[in-house]
Amino acid sequence: MKLLEGKSAVITGSSRGIGRAIAFAFAESGASLVIHGTSEKSLAPLAAELGCEYVAGDIGELDTSKRLAKKCMSSFGKIDILVNNAGINTRTKFLDLQPDEWEKVLRVNLTGTFYACKCVIPYMLERKSGSIINMSSRAGKTAHGNASLCYGASKGGIDSMTRNLAGEFAPSGIRVNSICPGPVETDMSLQWSAEYREKVLSGIPLRRLGKAEDIASLAVFLASDMAGFITGESININGGNYMN
């Protein structure tokens, strides 16, 4: 039996990168999906390839999360899993950081995660079961020179939200965990100079960048019954780049 056979999942930020890898891993593991992204043009062909449902919209708007939850309920009658992957990053130094940039990053990363949880948890409560996976970052635990203050603050907030939700809803059978990736091979990393890549690799004991599939494998595990006794954790996945 596949690890997620018979389970339904909502995955935000699914159109590329880690979210896309999670969507494929969940589908291969037997889950029925509702995927999300900002662009219907990107989502429609992906949904067709996966054979799943989709909702396009700004995750920083409450209505998007409402539509995601309703789509999953109307299509599958339940929501077993929520993956809050949608997010944005900036690298602006503090003295150059403007209020509108601060507010945008917090709105998408932190408030968007709050909205999705707010809309999905009531349906999980009805069944007294569910797994929520929030995408955090190493930057939420320690200072990161290649990420702005607002990005780290948003991810630190996600880790705090994870613990609070886990404590409140554990008696109702709902597990909440966050994943904290370190350096991962993405479109952005392909633009690094050879010198900068070597600098990053030198700080990773396993001497390689992570892959989106590494993160997706952890998400499948956390969503599955194999992780049934794990909740309230913010799990590092970084090749030893940061240990705590």
Side-chain angles (χ1 to χ4, degrees):
M1 182 178 177
K2 297 181 178 180
L3 283 179
L4 303 182
E5 193 77 50
K7 295 183 182 293
S8 60
V10 172
I11 307 173
T12 72
S14 312
S15 59
R16 60 190 178 90
I18 290 172
R20 182 184 176 92
I22 291 174
F24 274 98
F26 273 39
E28 291 168 2
S29 298
S32 300
L33 305 180
V34 179
I35 61 173
H36 157 268
T38 56
S39 168
E40 186 164 355
K41 183 178 179 180
S42 299
L43 282 175
L46 177 59
E49 185 176 356
L50 291 169
C52 70
E53 303 292 334
Y54 72 90
V55 169
D58 180 354
I59 201 64
E61 299 291 337
L62 179 58
D63 179 67
T64 301
S65 288
K66 288 181 177 179
R67 289 188 291 120
L68 277 164
K70 289 179 180 178
K71 173 66 77 172
C72 195
M73 289 300 297
S74 64
S75 299
F76 311 121
K78 59 177 182 171
I79 307 174
D80 296 303
I81 304 159
L82 168 63
V83 180
N84 285 307
N85 176 72
I88 56 175
N89 186 12
T90 64
R91 293 174 172 79
T92 308
K93 296 299 184 182
F94 175 72
L95 292 178
D96 296 320
L97 186 63
Q98 299 301 311
D100 59 343
E101 185 176 335
W102 167 273
E103 290 169 3
K104 181 179 180 180
V105 172
L106 269 290
R107 181 180 64 83
V108 173
N109 294 2
L110 186 57
T111 303
T113 297
F114 166 74
Y115 283 157
C117 290
K118 187 76 171 174
C119 293
V120 164
I121 285 176
Y123 295 112
M124 290 182 169
L125 284 172
E126 291 176 1
R127 296 173 56 84
K128 295 191 180 301
S129 175
S131 175
I132 297 174
I133 301 165
N134 297 322
M135 195 59 62
S136 183
S137 169
R138 189 194 77 169
K141 295 184 175 184
T142 186
H144 193 302
N146 201 34
S148 66
L149 172 68
C150 50
Y151 180 77
S154 71
K155 296 303 186 177
I158 285 172
D159 286 338
S160 177
M161 189 188 308
T162 295
R163 292 187 292 271
N164 278 273
L165 292 175
E168 182 172 352
F169 295 108
S172 299
I174 300 170
R175 298 183 298 107
V176 189
N177 295 287
S178 64
I179 295 175
C180 302
V184 175
E185 196 82 65
T186 63
D187 293 342
M188 182 65 71
S189 67
L190 296 177
Q191 301 172 23
W192 293 348
S193 67
E195 181 181 6
Y196 184 73
R197 177 178 287 270
E198 184 55 37
K199 179 181 178 182
V200 173
L201 289 173
S202 68
I204 304 174
L206 286 181
R207 289 298 187 269
R208 72 169 177 89
L209 295 180
K211 299 177 182 178
E213 290 76 15
D214 294 324
I215 314 303
S217 294
L218 176 56
V220 169
F221 169 70
L222 288 174
S224 76
D225 294 338
M226 292 183 69
F229 203 50
I230 301 175
T231 195
E233 294 298 319
S234 297
I235 300 173
N236 296 326
I237 177 166
N238 55 41
N241 179 251
Y242 177 76
M243 306 180 191
N244 71 326

mmCIF file of all heavy atoms in Angstrom, residues 124-171:
data_model
loop_
_atom_site.group_PDB
_atom_site.id
_atom_site.type_symbol
_atom_site.label_atom_id
_atom_site.label_comp_id
_atom_site.label_asym_id
_atom_site.label_seq_id
_atom_site.Cartn_x
_atom_site.Cartn_y
_atom_site.Cartn_z
ATOM 1 N N MET A 124 -10.724 19.256 9.674
ATOM 2 C CA MET A 124 -9.965 18.196 10.329
ATOM 3 C C MET A 124 -10.562 17.871 11.694
ATOM 4 O O MET A 124 -10.589 16.706 12.118
ATOM 5 C CB MET A 124 -8.500 18.612 10.475
ATOM 6 C CG MET A 124 -7.732 18.678 9.170
ATOM 7 S SD MET A 124 -5.984 19.128 9.422
ATOM 8 C CE MET A 124 -5.313 18.791 7.783
ATOM 9 N N LEU A 125 -11.046 18.895 12.378
ATOM 10 C CA LEU A 125 -11.655 18.676 13.691
ATOM 11 C C LEU A 125 -12.888 17.782 13.594
ATOM 12 O O LEU A 125 -13.154 16.980 14.501
ATOM 13 C CB LEU A 125 -12.033 20.011 14.333
ATOM 14 C CG LEU A 125 -10.880 20.829 14.914
ATOM 15 C CD1 LEU A 125 -11.367 22.210 15.333
ATOM 16 C CD2 LEU A 125 -10.250 20.108 16.098
ATOM 17 N N GLU A 126 -13.635 17.908 12.520
ATOM 18 C CA GLU A 126 -14.827 17.076 12.355
ATOM 19 C C GLU A 126 -14.485 15.591 12.326
ATOM 20 O O GLU A 126 -15.256 14.752 12.795
ATOM 21 C CB GLU A 126 -15.554 17.460 11.053
ATOM 22 C CG GLU A 126 -16.203 18.838 11.087
ATOM 23 C CD GLU A 126 -16.825 19.207 9.754
ATOM 24 O OE1 GLU A 126 -16.767 18.375 8.811
ATOM 25 O OE2 GLU A 126 -17.373 20.323 9.637
ATOM 26 N N ARG A 127 -13.302 15.277 11.783
ATOM 27 C CA ARG A 127 -12.867 13.882 11.670
ATOM 28 C C ARG A 127 -11.885 13.489 12.767
ATOM 29 O O ARG A 127 -11.472 12.334 12.858
ATOM 30 C CB ARG A 127 -12.218 13.658 10.306
ATOM 31 C CG ARG A 127 -13.180 13.847 9.130
ATOM 32 C CD ARG A 127 -12.443 13.790 7.796
ATOM 33 N NE ARG A 127 -11.690 12.546 7.648
ATOM 34 C CZ ARG A 127 -12.214 11.395 7.221
ATOM 35 N NH1 ARG A 127 -13.491 11.339 6.901
ATOM 36 N NH2 ARG A 127 -11.465 10.314 7.102
ATOM 37 N N LYS A 128 -11.482 14.473 13.580
ATOM 38 C CA LYS A 128 -10.491 14.248 14.642
ATOM 39 C C LYS A 128 -9.233 13.589 14.085
ATOM 40 O O LYS A 128 -8.682 12.634 14.664
ATOM 41 C CB LYS A 128 -11.088 13.421 15.781
ATOM 42 C CG LYS A 128 -12.217 14.120 16.515
ATOM 43 C CD LYS A 128 -12.606 13.397 17.776
ATOM 44 C CE LYS A 128 -13.743 14.119 18.491
ATOM 45 N NZ LYS A 128 -13.382 15.515 18.858
ATOM 46 N N SER A 129 -8.769 14.135 12.972
ATOM 47 C CA SER A 129 -7.592 13.572 12.305
ATOM 48 C C SER A 129 -7.044 14.589 11.316
ATOM 49 O O SER A 129 -7.802 15.349 10.703
ATOM 50 C CB SER A 129 -7.969 12.287 11.562
ATOM 51 O OG SER A 129 -6.876 11.789 10.832
ATOM 52 N N GLY A 130 -5.734 14.606 11.156
ATOM 53 C CA GLY A 130 -5.147 15.476 10.149
ATOM 54 C C GLY A 130 -3.664 15.685 10.382
ATOM 55 O O GLY A 130 -3.149 15.514 11.491
ATOM 56 N N SER A 131 -2.964 16.045 9.315
ATOM 57 C CA SER A 131 -1.540 16.374 9.400
ATOM 58 C C SER A 131 -1.302 17.677 8.657
ATOM 59 O O SER A 131 -1.660 17.801 7.483
ATOM 60 C CB SER A 131 -0.683 15.265 8.783
ATOM 61 O OG SER A 131 0.689 15.639 8.772
ATOM 62 N N ILE A 132 -0.705 18.646 9.352
ATOM 63 C CA ILE A 132 -0.356 19.928 8.749
ATOM 64 C C ILE A 132 1.159 20.046 8.719
ATOM 65 O O ILE A 132 1.833 19.799 9.728
ATOM 66 C CB ILE A 132 -0.965 21.099 9.536
ATOM 67 C CG1 ILE A 132 -2.493 21.033 9.494
ATOM 68 C CG2 ILE A 132 -0.473 22.445 8.987
ATOM 69 C CD1 ILE A 132 -3.185 22.061 10.371
ATOM 70 N N ILE A 133 1.688 20.405 7.552
ATOM 71 C CA ILE A 133 3.130 20.565 7.380
ATOM 72 C C ILE A 133 3.384 21.993 6.907
ATOM 73 O O ILE A 133 2.916 22.392 5.837
ATOM 74 C CB ILE A 133 3.683 19.564 6.355
ATOM 75 C CG1 ILE A 133 3.402 18.131 6.813
ATOM 76 C CG2 ILE A 133 5.174 19.776 6.142
ATOM 77 C CD1 ILE A 133 3.588 17.091 5.719
ATOM 78 N N ASN A 134 4.094 22.759 7.721
ATOM 79 C CA ASN A 134 4.408 24.148 7.396
ATOM 80 C C ASN A 134 5.848 24.247 6.903
ATOM 81 O O ASN A 134 6.761 23.680 7.514
ATOM 82 C CB ASN A 134 4.229 25.037 8.625
ATOM 83 C CG ASN A 134 2.797 25.055 9.123
ATOM 84 O OD1 ASN A 134 1.862 25.045 8.325
ATOM 85 N ND2 ASN A 134 2.614 25.095 10.434
ATOM 86 N N MET A 135 6.057 24.952 5.803
ATOM 87 C CA MET A 135 7.417 25.094 5.281
ATOM 88 C C MET A 135 8.096 26.280 5.941
ATOM 89 O O MET A 135 7.726 27.432 5.733
ATOM 90 C CB MET A 135 7.393 25.274 3.766
ATOM 91 C CG MET A 135 8.757 25.069 3.128
ATOM 92 S SD MET A 135 9.473 23.426 3.431
ATOM 93 C CE MET A 135 8.238 22.378 2.640
ATOM 94 N N SER A 136 9.103 25.980 6.747
ATOM 95 C CA SER A 136 9.873 27.016 7.412
ATOM 96 C C SER A 136 11.241 27.101 6.738
ATOM 97 O O SER A 136 11.352 26.935 5.524
ATOM 98 C CB SER A 136 10.002 26.693 8.905
ATOM 99 O OG SER A 136 10.681 27.727 9.585
ATOM 100 N N SER A 137 12.289 27.346 7.508
ATOM 101 C CA SER A 137 13.625 27.518 6.938
ATOM 102 C C SER A 137 14.640 27.541 8.064
ATOM 103 O O SER A 137 14.306 27.863 9.218
ATOM 104 C CB SER A 137 13.697 28.840 6.162
ATOM 105 O OG SER A 137 15.028 29.164 5.818
ATOM 106 N N ARG A 138 15.865 27.234 7.722
ATOM 107 C CA ARG A 138 16.954 27.437 8.670
ATOM 108 C C ARG A 138 16.978 28.888 9.126
ATOM 109 O O ARG A 138 17.341 29.193 10.269
ATOM 110 C CB ARG A 138 18.283 27.077 8.006
ATOM 111 C CG ARG A 138 19.454 27.042 8.962
ATOM 112 C CD ARG A 138 20.776 27.014 8.219
ATOM 113 N NE ARG A 138 21.121 28.334 7.703
ATOM 114 C CZ ARG A 138 22.319 28.650 7.204
ATOM 115 N NH1 ARG A 138 23.248 27.731 7.109
ATOM 116 N NH2 ARG A 138 22.552 29.861 6.763
ATOM 117 N N ALA A 139 16.567 29.802 8.248
ATOM 118 C CA ALA A 139 16.575 31.232 8.581
ATOM 119 C C ALA A 139 15.614 31.572 9.708
ATOM 120 O O ALA A 139 15.720 32.646 10.309
ATOM 121 C CB ALA A 139 16.230 32.059 7.343
ATOM 122 N N GLY A 140 14.662 30.682 9.999
ATOM 123 C CA GLY A 140 13.755 30.901 11.110
ATOM 124 C C GLY A 140 14.371 30.570 12.455
ATOM 125 O O GLY A 140 13.817 30.914 13.502
ATOM 126 N N LYS A 141 15.547 29.910 12.420
ATOM 127 C CA LYS A 141 16.198 29.480 13.659
ATOM 128 C C LYS A 141 17.485 30.231 13.954
ATOM 129 O O LYS A 141 17.908 30.333 15.106
ATOM 130 C CB LYS A 141 16.507 27.986 13.586
ATOM 131 C CG LYS A 141 15.283 27.091 13.513
ATOM 132 C CD LYS A 141 15.681 25.617 13.534
ATOM 133 C CE LYS A 141 14.459 24.715 13.595
ATOM 134 N NZ LYS A 141 14.822 23.288 13.715
ATOM 135 N N THR A 142 18.130 30.717 12.899
ATOM 136 C CA THR A 142 19.406 31.401 13.086
ATOM 137 C C THR A 142 19.589 32.432 11.984
ATOM 138 O O THR A 142 18.959 32.334 10.928
ATOM 139 C CB THR A 142 20.574 30.394 13.065
ATOM 140 O OG1 THR A 142 21.798 31.062 13.390
ATOM 141 C CG2 THR A 142 20.705 29.715 11.714
ATOM 142 N N ALA A 143 20.416 33.431 12.233
ATOM 143 C CA ALA A 143 20.648 34.486 11.251
ATOM 144 C C ALA A 143 21.198 33.903 9.954
ATOM 145 O O ALA A 143 21.987 32.954 9.966
ATOM 146 C CB ALA A 143 21.609 35.522 11.810
ATOM 147 N N HIS A 144 20.780 34.475 8.833
ATOM 148 C CA HIS A 144 21.194 33.988 7.522
ATOM 149 C C HIS A 144 21.566 35.189 6.667
ATOM 150 O O HIS A 144 20.733 36.052 6.393
ATOM 151 C CB HIS A 144 20.054 33.196 6.878
ATOM 152 C CG HIS A 144 20.471 32.395 5.688
ATOM 153 N ND1 HIS A 144 21.045 32.953 4.578
ATOM 154 C CD2 HIS A 144 20.395 31.057 5.438
ATOM 155 C CE1 HIS A 144 21.309 32.018 3.689
ATOM 156 N NE2 HIS A 144 20.926 30.849 4.187
ATOM 157 N N GLY A 145 22.811 35.225 6.218
ATOM 158 C CA GLY A 145 23.304 36.378 5.481
ATOM 159 C C GLY A 145 22.697 36.560 4.109
ATOM 160 O O GLY A 145 22.804 37.634 3.519
ATOM 161 N N ASN A 146 22.049 35.507 3.582
ATOM 162 C CA ASN A 146 21.483 35.583 2.237
ATOM 163 C C ASN A 146 19.961 35.672 2.254
ATOM 164 O O ASN A 146 19.307 35.376 1.259
ATOM 165 C CB ASN A 146 21.919 34.361 1.412
ATOM 166 C CG ASN A 146 21.812 34.615 -0.078
ATOM 167 O OD1 ASN A 146 22.036 35.717 -0.543
ATOM 168 N ND2 ASN A 146 21.455 33.579 -0.827
ATOM 169 N N ALA A 147 19.406 36.073 3.386
ATOM 170 C CA ALA A 147 17.956 36.237 3.499
ATOM 171 C C ALA A 147 17.667 37.491 4.311
ATOM 172 O O ALA A 147 18.379 37.811 5.259
ATOM 173 C CB ALA A 147 17.322 35.025 4.167
ATOM 174 N N SER A 148 16.624 38.200 3.939
ATOM 175 C CA SER A 148 16.297 39.439 4.640
ATOM 176 C C SER A 148 15.721 39.162 6.023
ATOM 177 O O SER A 148 15.263 38.059 6.322
ATOM 178 C CB SER A 148 15.284 40.249 3.821
ATOM 179 O OG SER A 148 14.053 39.559 3.755
ATOM 180 N N LEU A 149 15.751 40.182 6.851
ATOM 181 C CA LEU A 149 15.194 40.101 8.197
ATOM 182 C C LEU A 149 13.737 39.656 8.171
ATOM 183 O O LEU A 149 13.308 38.824 8.982
ATOM 184 C CB LEU A 149 15.315 41.456 8.882
ATOM 185 C CG LEU A 149 14.603 41.608 10.237
ATOM 186 C CD1 LEU A 149 15.282 40.758 11.287
ATOM 187 C CD2 LEU A 149 14.590 43.072 10.651
ATOM 188 N N CYS A 150 12.967 40.189 7.216
ATOM 189 C CA CYS A 150 11.539 39.863 7.190
ATOM 190 C C CYS A 150 11.313 38.392 6.829
ATOM 191 O O CYS A 150 10.364 37.771 7.319
ATOM 192 C CB CYS A 150 10.778 40.784 6.234
ATOM 193 S SG CYS A 150 11.471 40.956 4.588
ATOM 194 N N TYR A 151 12.177 37.814 5.998
ATOM 195 C CA TYR A 151 12.051 36.391 5.675
ATOM 196 C C TYR A 151 12.298 35.544 6.918
ATOM 197 O O TYR A 151 11.506 34.658 7.246
ATOM 198 C CB TYR A 151 13.043 36.016 4.579
ATOM 199 C CG TYR A 151 12.979 34.562 4.186
ATOM 200 C CD1 TYR A 151 11.963 34.081 3.373
ATOM 201 C CD2 TYR A 151 13.955 33.658 4.616
ATOM 202 C CE1 TYR A 151 11.896 32.745 3.003
ATOM 203 C CE2 TYR A 151 13.902 32.326 4.252
ATOM 204 C CZ TYR A 151 12.882 31.873 3.449
ATOM 205 O OH TYR A 151 12.825 30.552 3.093
ATOM 206 N N GLY A 152 13.391 35.822 7.629
ATOM 207 C CA GLY A 152 13.675 35.073 8.852
ATOM 208 C C GLY A 152 12.591 35.235 9.897
ATOM 209 O O GLY A 152 12.208 34.275 10.576
ATOM 210 N N ALA A 153 12.068 36.467 10.028
ATOM 211 C CA ALA A 153 10.992 36.713 10.997
ATOM 212 C C ALA A 153 9.747 35.916 10.642
ATOM 213 O O ALA A 153 9.077 35.355 11.512
ATOM 214 C CB ALA A 153 10.682 38.204 11.053
ATOM 215 N N SER A 154 9.433 35.854 9.350
ATOM 216 C CA SER A 154 8.236 35.111 8.931
ATOM 217 C C SER A 154 8.388 33.623 9.218
ATOM 218 O O SER A 154 7.439 32.960 9.658
ATOM 219 C CB SER A 154 7.955 35.343 7.446
ATOM 220 O OG SER A 154 8.907 34.709 6.613
ATOM 221 N N LYS A 155 9.588 33.092 8.994
ATOM 222 C CA LYS A 155 9.806 31.663 9.213
ATOM 223 C C LYS A 155 9.889 31.331 10.703
ATOM 224 O O LYS A 155 9.420 30.276 11.143
ATOM 225 C CB LYS A 155 11.072 31.212 8.483
ATOM 226 C CG LYS A 155 10.988 31.342 6.967
ATOM 227 C CD LYS A 155 9.804 30.562 6.388
ATOM 228 C CE LYS A 155 9.791 30.570 4.880
ATOM 229 N NZ LYS A 155 8.690 29.773 4.294
ATOM 230 N N GLY A 156 10.459 32.233 11.489
ATOM 231 C CA GLY A 156 10.430 32.045 12.938
ATOM 232 C C GLY A 156 9.010 32.046 13.463
ATOM 233 O O GLY A 156 8.649 31.269 14.355
ATOM 234 N N GLY A 157 8.174 32.918 12.892
ATOM 235 C CA GLY A 157 6.760 32.943 13.260
ATOM 236 C C GLY A 157 6.054 31.661 12.892
ATOM 237 O O GLY A 157 5.182 31.175 13.632
ATOM 238 N N ILE A 158 6.408 31.087 11.744
ATOM 239 C CA ILE A 158 5.805 29.818 11.327
ATOM 240 C C ILE A 158 6.166 28.709 12.303
ATOM 241 O O ILE A 158 5.315 27.876 12.669
ATOM 242 C CB ILE A 158 6.248 29.468 9.899
ATOM 243 C CG1 ILE A 158 5.493 30.348 8.894
ATOM 244 C CG2 ILE A 158 6.023 27.987 9.591
ATOM 245 C CD1 ILE A 158 5.976 30.224 7.474
ATOM 246 N N ASP A 159 7.411 28.672 12.762
ATOM 247 C CA ASP A 159 7.800 27.652 13.738
ATOM 248 C C ASP A 159 7.031 27.818 15.048
ATOM 249 O O ASP A 159 6.602 26.834 15.668
ATOM 250 C CB ASP A 159 9.305 27.709 14.003
ATOM 251 C CG ASP A 159 10.119 27.149 12.853
ATOM 252 O OD1 ASP A 159 9.570 26.360 12.054
ATOM 253 O OD2 ASP A 159 11.311 27.496 12.748
ATOM 254 N N SER A 160 6.845 29.071 15.477
ATOM 255 C CA SER A 160 6.070 29.326 16.694
ATOM 256 C C SER A 160 4.612 28.905 16.501
ATOM 257 O O SER A 160 4.002 28.276 17.382
ATOM 258 C CB SER A 160 6.149 30.811 17.059
ATOM 259 O OG SER A 160 5.360 31.092 18.194
ATOM 260 N N MET A 161 4.036 29.244 15.350
ATOM 261 C CA MET A 161 2.670 28.844 15.046
ATOM 262 C C MET A 161 2.537 27.322 15.045
ATOM 263 O O MET A 161 1.550 26.769 15.552
ATOM 264 C CB MET A 161 2.253 29.397 13.680
ATOM 265 C CG MET A 161 0.771 29.212 13.354
ATOM 266 S SD MET A 161 0.352 29.654 11.634
ATOM 267 C CE MET A 161 1.051 31.291 11.496
ATOM 268 N N THR A 162 3.547 26.661 14.490
ATOM 269 C CA THR A 162 3.542 25.200 14.447
ATOM 270 C C THR A 162 3.425 24.609 15.847
ATOM 271 O O THR A 162 2.606 23.721 16.099
ATOM 272 C CB THR A 162 4.831 24.695 13.762
ATOM 273 O OG1 THR A 162 4.825 25.114 12.393
ATOM 274 C CG2 THR A 162 4.943 23.187 13.828
ATOM 275 N N ARG A 163 4.239 25.098 16.772
ATOM 276 C CA ARG A 163 4.203 24.561 18.134
ATOM 277 C C ARG A 163 2.878 24.850 18.829
ATOM 278 O O ARG A 163 2.323 23.990 19.530
ATOM 279 C CB ARG A 163 5.367 25.139 18.946
ATOM 280 C CG ARG A 163 6.732 24.650 18.485
ATOM 281 C CD ARG A 163 7.831 25.107 19.423
ATOM 282 N NE ARG A 163 8.028 26.552 19.381
ATOM 283 C CZ ARG A 163 8.852 27.177 18.542
ATOM 284 N NH1 ARG A 163 9.545 26.487 17.653
ATOM 285 N NH2 ARG A 163 8.998 28.494 18.589
ATOM 286 N N ASN A 164 2.379 26.065 18.646
ATOM 287 C CA ASN A 164 1.124 26.429 19.298
ATOM 288 C C ASN A 164 -0.054 25.618 18.767
ATOM 289 O O ASN A 164 -0.889 25.125 19.542
ATOM 290 C CB ASN A 164 0.864 27.924 19.124
ATOM 291 C CG ASN A 164 1.616 28.773 20.127
ATOM 292 O OD1 ASN A 164 1.142 29.022 21.219
ATOM 293 N ND2 ASN A 164 2.810 29.203 19.759
ATOM 294 N N LEU A 165 -0.135 25.453 17.446
ATOM 295 C CA LEU A 165 -1.220 24.662 16.870
ATOM 296 C C LEU A 165 -1.092 23.196 17.265
ATOM 297 O O LEU A 165 -2.097 22.533 17.552
ATOM 298 C CB LEU A 165 -1.215 24.800 15.350
ATOM 299 C CG LEU A 165 -1.589 26.173 14.785
ATOM 300 C CD1 LEU A 165 -1.427 26.176 13.268
ATOM 301 C CD2 LEU A 165 -3.018 26.565 15.165
ATOM 302 N N ALA A 166 0.138 22.701 17.288
ATOM 303 C CA ALA A 166 0.350 21.306 17.673
ATOM 304 C C ALA A 166 -0.147 21.054 19.090
ATOM 305 O O ALA A 166 -0.820 20.045 19.365
ATOM 306 C CB ALA A 166 1.828 20.946 17.559
ATOM 307 N N GLY A 167 0.163 21.971 19.996
ATOM 308 C CA GLY A 167 -0.274 21.801 21.375
ATOM 309 C C GLY A 167 -1.778 21.898 21.539
ATOM 310 O O GLY A 167 -2.390 21.135 22.285
ATOM 311 N N GLU A 168 -2.385 22.835 20.799
ATOM 312 C CA GLU A 168 -3.830 23.026 20.939
ATOM 313 C C GLU A 168 -4.643 21.889 20.343
ATOM 314 O O GLU A 168 -5.674 21.497 20.908
ATOM 315 C CB GLU A 168 -4.233 24.347 20.274
ATOM 316 C CG GLU A 168 -5.729 24.663 20.409
ATOM 317 C CD GLU A 168 -6.077 26.053 19.924
ATOM 318 O OE1 GLU A 168 -5.159 26.850 19.623
ATOM 319 O OE2 GLU A 168 -7.294 26.370 19.866
ATOM 320 N N PHE A 169 -4.186 21.334 19.224
ATOM 321 C CA PHE A 169 -5.033 20.389 18.498
ATOM 322 C C PHE A 169 -4.578 18.931 18.574
ATOM 323 O O PHE A 169 -5.234 18.054 18.012
ATOM 324 C CB PHE A 169 -5.167 20.825 17.045
ATOM 325 C CG PHE A 169 -5.897 22.129 16.899
ATOM 326 C CD1 PHE A 169 -5.228 23.292 16.542
ATOM 327 C CD2 PHE A 169 -7.263 22.201 17.176
ATOM 328 C CE1 PHE A 169 -5.906 24.495 16.437
ATOM 329 C CE2 PHE A 169 -7.949 23.398 17.078
ATOM 330 C CZ PHE A 169 -7.275 24.552 16.703
ATOM 331 N N ALA A 170 -3.500 18.663 19.304
ATOM 332 C CA ALA A 170 -3.088 17.266 19.488
ATOM 333 C C ALA A 170 -4.185 16.412 20.111
ATOM 334 O O ALA A 170 -4.407 15.273 19.671
ATOM 335 C CB ALA A 170 -1.808 17.201 20.327
ATOM 336 N N PRO A 171 -4.922 16.917 21.113
ATOM 337 C CA PRO A 171 -5.997 16.087 21.680
ATOM 338 C C PRO A 171 -7.086 15.735 20.671
ATOM 339 O O PRO A 171 -7.860 14.803 20.895
ATOM 340 C CB PRO A 171 -6.557 16.967 22.814
ATOM 341 C CG PRO A 171 -5.427 17.862 23.188
ATOM 342 C CD PRO A 171 -4.746 18.161 21.890
#
